[in-house]
Amino acid sequence: RRVLLQAARSEGIEVVERPFTPQEAKSAREAFISASSAIIIPVIRIDGQAVGNASPGSVTLRLREAYGRFGELS
């Protein structure tokens, strides 16, 4: 989590941590989940409904790349 937040800041990506509804997630332009064992996993469908254009988004891909750089430094 710490590394992911650092990576987001380094990319100028604003991070807001707050509860959200399943409907908000379904209507998002893009979504991902993160875990220490899997790093960043794009979410392209929720309950069968496409999220965004049903492919990994540009922010997700930028964060994955930035996470790799920060993960090497940690």
Side-chain angles (χ1 to χ4, degrees), residues 11-50:
E11 291 293 307
I13 298 169
E14 180 183 4
V15 176
V16 176
E17 296 181 275
R18 66 170 179 77
F20 56 90
T21 67
Q23 190 55 41
E24 285 180 289
K26 290 175 185 178
S27 66
R29 288 187 303 256
E30 62 182 284
F32 65 87
I33 58 175
S34 179
S36 58
S37 61
I39 306 172
I40 298 172
I41 302 167
V43 174
I44 59 171
R45 293 194 179 284
I46 299 174
D47 294 337
Q49 180 179 328

